[in-house]
Amino acid sequence: MSSNRYTPYLFLAPALILFLVFTAYPILSSLLLSFQTLENGTYVFAGLSNYARLMKDTVFFEALKNTFIFLIIQVPIMLGLALILANALNSKLLKFRGFFRVGFFMPAVTSLVAYAILFSIMLQDSGLINQFLSYFGVDQIKWLSHPFWAKVSIIMSMTWRWTGYNMVIYLAAMQNIPDELYEAASLDGAGKVRQFINITVPQLKPVIYSNHFHYFNTTVI
């Protein structure tokens, strides 16, 4: 009887140990390090001097501004696309749903190095994207060197990489919505768009809020 009482903790132990070693410890270690400075090869307590210097650093505020730009623009675009794709791939009328699901999810498991090299090649001055735009009479865009277009490039690449990941989360949640709700709405004359707005989105509110909070937390904190 006593052994059964500890069984849940044994199952939780591996995940808890990994969390403590690779998440909790680095965060606490970094926090303590922020109150120290290196003098003569050893770290000594420096109080809030590092934070005082940070508040005077213009590069820090520029980086903070850019981070909020990505948070406000890229995250809603990515989650909106993920929601639309999940709804489309959840349709029983769509053939080869498994193929499309894997295809959209593949960028999330792509190596970070391969993903960076791919976009750096595509976004070069003579890259694939500029060549494509030239057929429509668009002048060459400095994707990687212009301050504005560099931000657009990052938004594009991040959206490509993580939209499929969030799509899978929404798709899993959609499959838990009872079919009876859609059948009743269909009998009442509601079309697919109205069903999506009045049934799918409200049923997914907990997942949507959780995703938004997760990206706000990881981006800001």
Side-chain angles (χ1 to χ4, degrees):
M1 187 64 144
S2 60
S3 61
N4 293 335
R5 187 174 61 182
Y6 294 108
T7 300
Y9 298 101
L10 292 176
F11 282 108
L12 288 172
L16 183 60
I17 292 171
L18 290 173
F19 171 78
L20 291 174
V21 173
F22 293 104
T23 302
Y25 172 73
I27 291 174
L28 292 175
S29 179
S30 300
L31 180 62
L32 293 175
L33 187 62
S34 69
F35 295 102
Q36 300 177 13
T37 186
L38 188 65
E39 292 183 3
N40 300 322
T42 58
Y43 285 100
V44 296
F45 181 72
L48 297 175
S49 61
N50 290 331
Y51 290 96
R53 186 179 63 181
L54 187 67
M55 291 298 102
K56 300 176 183 177
D57 192 343
T58 56
V59 176
F60 166 73
F61 285 103
E62 186 67 24
L64 190 64
K65 183 187 76 173
N66 291 336
T67 300
F68 273 103
I69 289 174
F70 297 141
L71 175 66
I72 294 169
I73 298 176
Q74 189 269 332
V75 171
I77 292 174
M78 176 184 64
L79 296 182
L81 284 174
L83 186 60
I84 294 171
L85 285 173
N87 187 63
L89 295 181
N90 193 43
S91 173
K92 296 178 181 179
L93 301 176
L94 180 67
K95 296 182 179 180
F96 309 110
R97 284 183 296 172
F99 172 78
F100 287 113
R101 290 173 184 178
V102 172
F104 282 111
F105 182 72
M106 282 298 292
V109 296
T110 303
S111 166
L112 182 61
V113 175
Y115 142 75
I117 293 174
L118 173 66
F119 270 87
S120 65
I121 293 173
M122 291 174 60
L123 296 171
Q124 287 178 354
D125 292 345
S126 58
L128 182 64
I129 294 179
N130 274 336
Q131 289 182 17
F132 175 76
L133 293 175
S134 67
Y135 293 120
F136 300 94
V138 179
D139 294 334
Q140 189 181 84
I141 297 175
K142 301 290 184 181
W143 294 104
L144 303 177
S145 56
H146 190 279
F148 172 78
W149 292 113
K151 295 183 182 70
V152 175
S153 301
I154 294 174
I155 290 172
M156 288 168 49
S157 60
M158 291 176 64
T159 301
W160 175 84
R161 181 172 174 82
W162 294 114
T163 297
Y165 171 85
N166 291 282
M167 177 203 72
V168 170
I169 296 175
Y170 289 140
L171 186 59
M174 284 180 184
Q175 292 175 348
N176 290 323
I177 300 175
D179 292 335
E180 291 80 5
L181 294 177
Y182 295 103
E183 293 172 0
S186 181
L187 291 174
D188 290 338
K192 295 296 181 182
V193 175
R194 180 171 285 276
Q195 290 179 26
F196 176 75
I197 295 173
N198 293 338
I199 297 177
T200 305
V201 173
Q203 291 290 321
L204 292 180
K205 275 185 179 179
V207 180
I208 294 172
Y209 290 154
S210 176
N211 253 13
H212 276 81
F213 176 78
H214 165 73
Y215 282 104
F216 178 84
N217 185 42
T218 53
T219 303
V220 176
I221 299 180

